[in-house]
Amino acid sequence: KGKWYAPKIDNPEYKGVWKPRQIPNPGYFVDEEPCVLPAIDSVGIDIWTMSKGILFDNIMISTNVGKAKAFADASFKLRHELELKQQPKSAGGGFFEDAMDFALRNMAAVGVTAAALLLASIWCCCIRGGGAPRAPTPEEKKQARLKKKAEAEKKAKEEGEEEEEQTPSTSMSARFSIPYSSNSRNDSDSDSE
């Protein structure tokens, strides 16, 4: 029998392979010299950014460096000086003046902080204690050694008692241990199956 194929029937309206419809374009022309470009009289700049306030002006395209520099001197420098004059000047003259301004605006907080720092400095330097710790006397050293020795003896005695409690149980199991044979195990395993 072989592979099955769908039966084909003739289509009397078949016109061939489909092609898109061709319509006349009145603006179409063949460019004989594509390398010759018309004069450029404008520049388009497309910038995709999330920042506001980006401006471009005075764009110049030239092959003459001297003309470009003269144009920049005539336009950019003058405009830049005007922009600098229009910007508001900062009132602060430096860190010290900013700190003084903050202190004048927050007198209570600055006063409490200064008092706390002063009291903490006085306590740490003067009132805290009697100076450096004193060295132990020979009698105190002897008492510390005896105390350490007594603690070590007590610990050794406790460990000895724990070993004595464990020793009888292990010795009994060693005296009455039954030898284990692998044959007896195999026989019991075969019987249980």
Side-chain angles (χ1 to χ4, degrees), residues 85-173:
K85 289 179 183 177
Q86 290 175 353
Q87 289 180 353
K89 299 202 178 208
S90 62
F95 176 75
F96 180 73
E97 291 173 1
D98 290 343
M100 289 301 292
D101 184 45
F102 177 80
L104 291 174
R105 282 185 283 128
N106 301 304
M107 274 300 239
V110 171
V112 169
T113 304
L117 287 174
L118 182 64
L119 290 175
S121 299
I122 291 172
W123 183 82
C124 288
C125 296
C126 302
I127 302 173
R128 175 169 67 119
R134 63 176 183 79
T137 62
E139 184 63 34
E140 290 173 341
K141 288 181 183 178
K142 185 177 180 182
Q143 292 294 330
R145 274 196 307 259
L146 291 174
K147 185 177 178 184
K148 195 181 267 187
K149 187 176 181 183
E151 287 176 1
E153 288 175 358
K154 184 179 177 183
K155 187 176 181 181
K157 185 177 180 183
E158 288 175 0
E159 288 177 359
E161 288 176 1
E162 288 178 7
E163 287 179 11
E164 288 177 6
E165 291 174 2
Q166 292 176 357
T167 306
S169 62
T170 56
S171 62
M172 291 292 281
S173 63

Coordinates of all heavy atoms in Angstrom, one line a residue, residues 85-173:
K85 N 26.8 84.2 35.5 CA 26.3 85.3 36.2 C 24.9 85.1 36.6 O 24.5 85.7 37.6 CB 26.4 86.6 35.3 CG 27.8 87.1 35.1 CD 27.9 88.3 34.2 CE 29.3 88.7 34.0 NZ 29.4 89.8 33.0
Q86 N 24.1 84.3 35.9 CA 22.7 84.1 36.2 C 22.5 83.1 37.3 O 21.5 83.0 37.9 CB 21.9 83.7 35.0 CG 21.8 84.7 33.9 CD 21.1 84.2 32.7 OE1 20.9 83.1 32.5 NE2 20.8 85.2 31.7
Q87 N 23.5 82.2 37.6 CA 23.4 81.2 38.6 C 23.4 81.9 40.0 O 24.2 82.8 40.2 CB 24.5 80.2 38.5 CG 24.3 79.3 37.3 CD 25.5 78.2 37.2 OE1 26.4 78.3 38.0 NE2 25.4 77.4 36.3
P88 N 22.6 81.4 40.9 CA 22.6 82.0 42.3 C 23.9 81.6 43.0 O 24.3 80.4 42.9 CB 21.4 81.4 42.9 CG 21.0 80.2 42.2 CD 21.5 80.4 40.8
K89 N 24.5 82.5 43.7 CA 25.7 82.2 44.4 C 25.3 81.6 45.8 O 24.3 82.0 46.4 CB 26.5 83.5 44.6 CG 26.9 84.1 43.3 CD 28.1 85.0 43.4 CE 28.4 85.5 42.0 NZ 29.7 85.8 41.8
S90 N 26.2 80.7 46.3 CA 25.9 80.1 47.6 C 26.2 81.1 48.7 O 27.2 81.8 48.6 CB 26.8 78.8 47.7 OG 28.1 79.2 47.7
A91 N 25.4 81.1 49.7 CA 25.6 82.0 50.8 C 26.7 81.6 51.7 O 27.3 82.4 52.4 CB 24.3 82.1 51.6
G92 N 26.9 80.3 51.9 CA 27.9 79.8 52.8 C 29.3 80.1 52.3 O 29.6 80.0 51.1
G93 N 30.3 80.4 53.2 CA 31.6 80.6 52.8 C 32.6 79.5 53.2 O 33.7 79.6 53.0
G94 N 32.0 78.4 53.7 CA 32.9 77.3 54.1 C 32.3 76.5 55.2 O 31.2 76.7 55.6
F95 N 33.1 75.5 55.6 CA 32.6 74.5 56.6 C 32.4 75.2 58.0 O 31.4 75.0 58.6 CB 33.6 73.4 56.8 CG 33.3 72.4 57.9 CD1 32.3 71.5 57.7 CD2 33.9 72.5 59.1 CE1 31.9 70.6 58.7 CE2 33.6 71.6 60.1 CZ 32.6 70.6 59.9
F96 N 33.3 76.1 58.4 CA 33.1 76.7 59.7 C 31.9 77.6 59.7 O 31.1 77.6 60.7 CB 34.4 77.6 60.0 CG 34.3 78.3 61.3 CD1 34.5 77.6 62.5 CD2 34.1 79.7 61.4 CE1 34.4 78.2 63.7 CE2 34.0 80.3 62.6 CZ 34.2 79.6 63.7
E97 N 31.6 78.3 58.7 CA 30.4 79.2 58.7 C 29.1 78.3 58.6 O 28.1 78.7 59.3 CB 30.5 80.1 57.5 CG 31.5 81.2 57.7 CD 31.7 82.0 56.4 OE1 31.0 81.8 55.5 OE2 32.6 82.9 56.5
D98 N 29.1 77.2 57.9 CA 28.0 76.3 57.9 C 27.8 75.7 59.3 O 26.6 75.6 59.8 CB 28.2 75.2 56.9 CG 28.1 75.7 55.5 OD1 27.6 76.8 55.3 OD2 28.6 75.0 54.6
A99 N 28.8 75.3 60.0 CA 28.7 74.8 61.3 C 28.2 75.8 62.3 O 27.3 75.5 63.2 CB 30.1 74.3 61.8
M100 N 28.6 77.0 62.2 CA 28.1 78.1 63.1 C 26.7 78.4 62.8 O 25.9 78.6 63.8 CB 29.0 79.4 62.9 CG 30.4 79.3 63.5 SD 30.4 78.9 65.2 CE 29.7 80.4 65.9
D101 N 26.3 78.4 61.6 CA 24.9 78.6 61.2 C 24.0 77.5 61.8 O 22.9 77.7 62.4 CB 24.7 78.6 59.7 CG 23.3 78.9 59.3 OD1 22.7 79.9 59.9 OD2 22.8 78.3 58.3
F102 N 24.5 76.2 61.7 CA 23.7 75.1 62.3 C 23.6 75.2 63.8 O 22.6 75.0 64.4 CB 24.4 73.8 61.9 CG 23.8 72.6 62.5 CD1 22.6 72.0 61.9 CD2 24.3 72.0 63.7 CE1 22.0 70.9 62.5 CE2 23.7 70.9 64.2 CZ 22.5 70.3 63.7
A103 N 24.7 75.6 64.4 CA 24.7 75.8 65.9 C 23.7 76.9 66.3 O 23.0 76.7 67.3 CB 26.1 76.1 66.4
L104 N 23.7 78.0 65.6 CA 22.7 79.0 66.0 C 21.3 78.6 65.8 O 20.4 79.0 66.5 CB 23.1 80.3 65.1 CG 24.4 81.0 65.5 CD1 24.7 82.1 64.5 CD2 24.4 81.5 66.9
R105 N 21.0 77.8 64.7 CA 19.6 77.4 64.5 C 19.2 76.3 65.5 O 18.0 76.1 65.8 CB 19.5 76.8 63.1 CG 19.4 77.9 62.0 CD 19.2 77.4 60.7 NE 20.4 76.8 60.1 CZ 20.5 75.6 59.6 NH1 19.5 74.8 59.6 NH2 21.7 75.2 59.1
N106 N 20.2 75.5 66.1 CA 19.8 74.4 67.0 C 20.6 74.5 68.3 O 21.4 73.7 68.7 CB 20.2 73.1 66.3 CG 19.5 72.8 65.0 OD1 18.3 72.9 64.9 ND2 20.3 72.7 63.9
M107 N 20.3 75.6 69.0 CA 21.1 75.9 70.2 C 20.9 74.9 71.3 O 21.8 74.5 72.0 CB 20.6 77.3 70.7 CG 21.4 78.4 70.2 SD 23.1 78.3 70.5 CE 23.4 79.8 71.4
A108 N 19.6 74.4 71.5 CA 19.4 73.4 72.5 C 20.1 72.1 72.3 O 20.7 71.6 73.2 CB 17.9 73.2 72.6
A109 N 20.0 71.6 71.1 CA 20.7 70.3 70.8 C 22.2 70.4 70.9 O 22.9 69.6 71.5 CB 20.3 69.9 69.4
V110 N 22.8 71.5 70.5 CA 24.2 71.7 70.6 C 24.6 71.9 72.0 O 25.6 71.3 72.4 CB 24.6 72.9 69.7 CG1 26.1 73.3 70.0 CG2 24.4 72.7 68.2
G111 N 23.8 72.6 72.8 CA 24.2 72.8 74.3 C 24.1 71.4 75.0 O 25.0 71.2 75.8
V112 N 23.1 70.6 74.8 CA 23.0 69.3 75.5 C 24.2 68.4 75.1 O 24.8 67.8 75.9 CB 21.6 68.7 75.2 CG1 21.6 67.2 75.7 CG2 20.5 69.5 75.8
T113 N 24.5 68.4 73.8 CA 25.6 67.6 73.3 C 26.9 68.0 73.9 O 27.7 67.2 74.3 CB 25.7 67.6 71.8 OG1 24.4 67.2 71.2 CG2 26.8 66.7 71.2
A114 N 27.2 69.3 74.0 CA 28.4 69.8 74.5 C 28.5 69.5 76.0 O 29.6 69.1 76.5 CB 28.5 71.3 74.3
A115 N 27.4 69.6 76.8 CA 27.4 69.3 78.2 C 27.7 67.9 78.4 O 28.5 67.5 79.3 CB 26.1 69.8 78.8
A116 N 27.1 67.0 77.6 CA 27.3 65.5 77.8 C 28.7 65.2 77.5 O 29.4 64.4 78.2 CB 26.4 64.8 76.8
L117 N 29.3 65.8 76.5 CA 30.7 65.5 76.1 C 31.7 66.0 77.2 O 32.6 65.3 77.6 CB 31.1 66.1 74.8 CG 30.6 65.4 73.5 CD1 30.9 66.3 72.3 CD2 31.1 64.1 73.4
L118 N 31.4 67.1 77.8 CA 32.2 67.7 78.9 C 32.1 66.8 80.1 O 33.2 66.5 80.7 CB 31.8 69.1 79.2 CG 32.6 69.8 80.2 CD1 34.0 70.0 79.8 CD2 31.9 71.2 80.6
L119 N 30.9 66.4 80.5 CA 30.8 65.5 81.7 C 31.4 64.2 81.5 O 32.1 63.7 82.4 CB 29.3 65.4 82.0 CG 28.6 66.6 82.6 CD1 27.1 66.4 82.8 CD2 29.2 67.1 83.9
A120 N 31.3 63.6 80.3 CA 31.9 62.3 80.1 C 33.4 62.4 80.1 O 34.1 61.5 80.6 CB 31.5 61.8 78.7
S121 N 34.0 63.5 79.6 CA 35.5 63.7 79.6 C 36.0 63.8 81.0 O 37.0 63.3 81.4 CB 35.8 64.9 78.8 OG 35.5 64.8 77.5
I122 N 35.3 64.6 81.8 CA 35.7 64.8 83.2 C 35.6 63.5 84.0 O 36.5 63.1 84.8 CB 34.8 65.9 83.9 CG1 35.1 67.3 83.3 CG2 35.0 65.9 85.4 CD1 34.2 68.4 83.7
W123 N 34.5 62.7 83.8 CA 34.4 61.4 84.5 C 35.5 60.5 84.1 O 36.1 59.8 85.0 CB 33.0 60.8 84.2 CG 32.8 59.6 85.0 CD1 32.4 59.5 86.3 CD2 33.0 58.3 84.5 NE1 32.3 58.1 86.7 CE2 32.7 57.4 85.6 CE3 33.4 57.7 83.3 CZ2 32.8 56.0 85.4 CZ3 33.4 56.4 83.2 CH2 33.1 55.5 84.2
C124 N 35.8 60.4 82.8 CA 36.8 59.4 82.3 C 38.2 59.8 82.8 O 39.0 58.9 83.1 CB 36.8 59.3 80.8 SG 35.3 58.5 80.2
C125 N 38.5 61.1 82.9 CA 39.8 61.5 83.2 C 40.1 61.7 84.7 O 41.2 61.5 85.2 CB 40.1 62.8 82.5 SG 40.1 62.7 80.7
C126 N 39.1 62.1 85.5 CA 39.4 62.5 86.8 C 38.7 61.6 87.9 O 39.3 61.3 88.9 CB 38.9 64.0 87.0 SG 39.8 65.1 85.9
I127 N 37.4 61.4 87.7 CA 36.6 60.8 88.8 C 36.6 59.2 88.8 O 36.4 58.6 89.8 CB 35.1 61.3 88.7 CG1 35.2 62.8 88.8 CG2 34.3 60.7 89.8 CD1 33.8 63.5 88.6
R128 N 36.9 58.7 87.7 CA 36.6 57.2 87.4 C 37.2 56.3 88.5 O 36.5 55.3 88.9 CB 37.2 56.9 86.1 CG 37.2 55.5 85.7 CD 37.5 55.4 84.2 NE 38.9 55.7 84.0 CZ 39.8 54.9 83.5 NH1 39.4 53.7 83.2 NH2 41.0 55.3 83.3
G129 N 38.4 56.4 88.9 CA 38.9 55.5 89.9 C 40.2 55.9 90.4 O 40.7 57.0 90.2
G130 N 40.8 55.0 91.2 CA 42.1 55.3 91.9 C 43.3 55.0 91.0 O 44.3 54.6 91.5
G131 N 43.3 55.1 89.8 CA 44.4 55.0 88.9 C 44.6 53.6 88.4 O 43.6 52.8 88.3
A132 N 45.8 53.1 88.2 CA 46.1 51.8 87.7 C 45.8 50.7 88.7 O 46.0 51.0 89.9 CB 47.5 51.7 87.2
P133 N 45.4 49.5 88.3 CA 45.2 48.4 89.3 C 46.5 48.0 90.0 O 47.5 48.0 89.3 CB 44.6 47.3 88.4 CG 45.0 47.6 87.1 CD 45.2 49.1 87.0
R134 N 46.4 47.7 91.3 CA 47.6 47.3 92.0 C 48.0 45.8 91.7 O 47.1 45.0 91.4 CB 47.4 47.6 93.5 CG 46.4 46.7 94.1 CD 46.3 46.9 95.6 NE 45.3 46.1 96.2 CZ 45.5 44.8 96.5 NH1 46.6 44.2 96.3 NH2 44.6 44.1 97.1
A135 N 49.2 45.5 91.9 CA 49.7 44.2 91.7 C 49.4 43.3 93.0 O 49.3 43.8 94.1 CB 51.2 44.2 91.5
P136 N 49.1 42.0 92.8 CA 48.7 41.2 93.9 C 49.9 41.0 94.8 O 51.1 40.9 94.4 CB 48.2 39.9 93.3 CG 48.8 39.9 91.9 CD 49.0 41.3 91.5
T137 N 49.7 40.9 96.1 CA 50.7 40.6 97.1 C 51.1 39.2 97.1 O 50.4 38.3 96.5 CB 50.2 41.0 98.5 OG1 49.1 40.1 98.9 CG2 49.8 42.4 98.6
P138 N 52.3 38.8 97.6 CA 52.7 37.4 97.6 C 51.7 36.5 98.3 O 51.5 35.4 97.9 CB 54.1 37.4 98.4 CG 54.6 38.8 98.2 CD 53.4 39.7 98.1
E139 N 51.1 37.0 99.4 CA 50.1 36.2 100.1 C 48.9 35.9 99.2 O 48.4 34.8 99.2 CB 49.6 36.9 101.4 CG 48.7 36.1 102.3 CD 49.3 34.8 102.8 OE1 50.5 34.8 103.1 OE2 48.5 33.9 102.9
E140 N 48.4 36.9 98.4 CA 47.3 36.7 97.5 C 47.7 35.7 96.4 O 46.9 34.9 96.0 CB 46.9 38.1 96.9 CG 46.2 39.0 97.9 CD 45.9 40.4 97.4 OE1 46.6 40.7 96.3 OE2 45.1 41.1 97.9
K141 N 48.9 35.8 95.9 CA 49.4 34.9 94.9 C 49.3 33.4 95.4 O 48.9 32.5 94.7 CB 50.8 35.2 94.4 CG 50.9 36.4 93.6 CD 52.3 36.7 93.1 CE 52.5 37.9 92.3 NZ 53.8 38.2 92.0
K142 N 49.8 33.2 96.7 CA 49.8 31.9 97.3 C 48.4 31.4 97.5 O 48.1 30.2 97.2 CB 50.5 32.0 98.7 CG 50.7 30.7 99.4 CD 51.4 30.8 100.7 CE 51.6 29.5 101.3 NZ 52.3 29.6 102.6
Q143 N 47.5 32.2 97.9 CA 46.1 31.8 98.1 C 45.5 31.4 96.7 O 44.7 30.4 96.6 CB 45.2 32.9 98.7 CG 45.6 33.3 100.1 CD 45.2 32.1 101.0 OE1 44.3 31.3 100.8 NE2 46.0 32.0 102.1
A144 N 45.8 32.1 95.6 CA 45.2 31.8 94.3 C 45.8 30.5 93.8 O 45.1 29.6 93.2 CB 45.6 32.9 93.3
R145 N 47.1 30.2 94.1 CA 47.7 28.9 93.7 C 47.0 27.7 94.4 O 46.7 26.7 93.8 CB 49.2 28.9 94.0 CG 50.0 29.5 92.8 CD 51.5 29.1 93.0 NE 52.0 29.5 94.3 CZ 52.7 30.5 94.6 NH1 53.0 31.4 93.7 NH2 53.1 30.8 95.9
L146 N 46.8 27.9 95.7 CA 46.2 26.8 96.5 C 44.8 26.6 96.1 O 44.3 25.4 96.0 CB 46.2 27.2 98.0 CG 47.6 27.2 98.7 CD1 47.5 27.7 100.1 CD2 48.2 25.8 98.7
K147 N 44.0 27.6 95.8 CA 42.7 27.5 95.3 C 42.6 26.7 94.0 O 41.8 25.8 93.7 CB 42.0 28.9 95.2 CG 40.6 28.8 94.8 CD 40.0 30.2 94.7 CE 38.5 30.1 94.3 NZ 37.9 31.5 94.2
K148 N 43.5 27.1 93.1 CA 43.6 26.4 91.8 C 44.0 24.9 91.9 O 43.4 24.1 91.2 CB 44.6 27.1 90.9 CG 44.5 26.8 89.4 CD 45.6 27.5 88.6 CE 45.0 28.8 88.1 NZ 46.0 29.4 87.1
K149 N 44.9 24.6 92.8 CA 45.3 23.3 93.1 C 44.2 22.4 93.7 O 43.9 21.3 93.3 CB 46.5 23.3 94.0 CG 47.2 21.9 94.2 CD 48.4 22.0 95.1 CE 49.0 20.7 95.3 NZ 50.2 20.7 96.1
A150 N 43.4 23.0 94.6 CA 42.3 22.3 95.2 C 41.2 22.0 94.1 O 40.6 20.9 94.1 CB 41.7 23.1 96.3
E151 N 40.9 22.9 93.3 CA 40.0 22.7 92.2 C 40.4 21.6 91.2 O 39.6 20.8 90.8 CB 39.7 24.0 91.4 CG 38.9 25.0 92.2 CD 38.8 26.4 91.4 OE1 39.3 26.4 90.3 OE2 38.2 27.3 91.9
A152 N 41.7 21.5 90.9 CA 42.2 20.5 90.0 C 42.1 19.1 90.7 O 41.7 18.1 90.0 CB 43.7 20.8 89.7
E153 N 42.4 19.0 92.0 CA 42.3 17.8 92.7 C 40.8 17.3 92.8 O 40.5 16.1 92.6 CB 42.8 17.9 94.1 CG 44.3 18.0 94.2 CD 44.8 18.2 95.6 OE1 44.0 18.4 96.5 OE2 46.1 18.3 95.7
K154 N 39.9 18.2 93.0 CA 38.5 17.9 93.1 C 38.0 17.4 91.7 O 37.3 16.4 91.7 CB 37.7 19.1 93.5 CG 36.2 18.9 93.7 CD 35.5 20.2 94.1 CE 34.0 19.9 94.3 NZ 33.3 21.2 94.6
K155 N 38.4 18.0 90.7 CA 38.0 17.6 89.3 C 38.6 16.2 89.0 O 37.9 15.3 88.5 CB 38.5 18.6 88.3 CG 38.0 18.4 86.9 CD 38.5 19.5 86.0 CE 37.9 19.2 84.6 NZ 38.4 20.2 83.6
A156 N 39.8 15.9 89.4 CA 40.4 14.6 89.1 C 39.7 13.5 89.9 O 39.5 12.4 89.5 CB 41.9 14.7 89.5
K157 N 39.3 13.9 91.2 CA 38.6 12.9 92.0 C 37.2 12.6 91.4 O 36.8 11.4 91.4 CB 38.4 13.5 93.4 CG 37.8 12.6 94.4 CD 37.8 13.2 95.8 CE 37.1 12.2 96.8 NZ 37.0 12.8 98.1
E158 N 36.5 13.6 90.9 CA 35.2 13.3 90.2 C 35.4 12.5 89.0 O 34.6 11.6 88.7 CB 34.6 14.7 89.9 CG 34.1 15.4 91.1 CD 33.6 16.8 90.7 OE1 33.6 17.1 89.5 OE2 33.1 17.6 91.6
E159 N 36.4 12.7 88.2 CA 36.6 11.9 87.0 C 37.0 10.4 87.4 O 36.5 9.5 86.7 CB 37.7 12.5 86.2 CG 37.4 13.7 85.5 CD 38.5 14.4 84.7 OE1 39.6 13.8 84.7 OE2 38.3 15.4 84.1
G160 N 37.7 10.2 88.5 CA 38.0 8.9 88.9 C 36.8 8.1 89.4 O 36.7 6.9 89.1
E161 N 35.9 8.8 90.0 CA 34.6 8.2 90.5 C 33.8 7.8 89.3 O 33.1 6.7 89.3 CB 33.9 9.1 91.4 CG 34.5 9.3 92.8 CD 33.7 10.3 93.6 OE1 32.7 10.8 93.1 OE2 34.2 10.5 94.8
E162 N 33.7 8.6 88.3 CA 32.9 8.3 87.1 C 33.5 7.0 86.4 O 32.8 6.2 85.9 CB 32.9 9.5 86.1 CG 32.1 10.6 86.6 CD 32.2 11.8 85.6 OE1 32.8 11.6 84.5 OE2 31.6 12.8 86.0
E163 N 34.8 6.9 86.3 CA 35.5 5.7 85.7 C 35.2 4.5 86.5 O 34.9 3.4 85.9 CB 37.0 5.9 85.6 CG 37.4 7.0 84.5 CD 38.9 7.1 84.5 OE1 39.6 6.4 85.1 OE2 39.3 8.1 83.8
E164 N 35.2 4.6 87.8 CA 34.9 3.4 88.7 C 33.4 2.9 88.5 O 33.1 1.7 88.5 CB 35.1 3.7 90.1 CG 36.6 3.8 90.5 CD 36.7 4.2 91.9 OE1 35.7 4.3 92.7 OE2 37.9 4.5 92.3
E165 N 32.5 3.8 88.3 CA 31.1 3.5 88.0 C 30.9 2.8 86.7 O 30.2 1.9 86.5 CB 30.2 4.7 88.1 CG 30.1 5.3 89.4 CD 29.3 6.6 89.4 OE1 28.9 7.0 88.3 OE2 29.2 7.2 90.5
Q166 N 31.7 3.1 85.7 CA 31.6 2.6 84.4 C 32.4 1.3 84.3 O 32.0 0.4 83.5 CB 32.1 3.5 83.3 CG 31.3 4.7 83.1 CD 31.8 5.7 82.2 OE1 32.9 5.5 81.6 NE2 31.1 6.8 81.9
T167 N 33.4 1.1 85.0 CA 34.3 -0.1 84.9 C 33.6 -1.4 85.2 O 33.7 -2.4 84.5 CB 35.5 0.1 85.8 OG1 36.1 1.3 85.5 CG2 36.5 -1.1 85.6
P168 N 32.8 -1.5 86.3 CA 32.1 -2.8 86.6 C 31.2 -3.3 85.5 O 31.2 -4.5 85.2 CB 31.4 -2.6 87.9 CG 32.0 -1.4 88.5 CD 32.5 -0.6 87.4
S169 N 30.5 -2.5 84.9 CA 29.6 -2.9 83.8 C 30.3 -3.4 82.6 O 30.0 -4.4 82.0 CB 28.6 -1.8 83.4 OG 29.3 -0.7 82.9
T170 N 31.4 -2.8 82.3 CA 32.2 -3.3 81.1 C 32.9 -4.5 81.5 O 33.1 -5.4 80.6 CB 33.2 -2.2 80.7 OG1 34.0 -1.8 81.8 CG2 32.5 -1.0 80.2
S171 N 33.4 -4.7 82.7 CA 34.1 -5.9 83.1 C 33.2 -7.1 83.1 O 33.6 -8.2 82.8 CB 34.9 -5.7 84.4 OG 33.9 -5.5 85.4
M172 N 31.9 -6.9 83.6 CA 31.0 -8.0 83.6 C 30.7 -8.5 82.2 O 30.6 -9.7 81.9 CB 29.7 -7.5 84.3 CG 29.8 -7.2 85.8 SD 30.1 -8.7 86.7 CE 28.4 -9.4 86.7
S173 N 30.5 -7.6 81.3 CA 30.2 -8.0 79.9 C 31.4 -8.7 79.3 O 31.2 -9.6 78.5 CB 29.8 -6.8 79.1 OG 30.9 -5.9 79.0

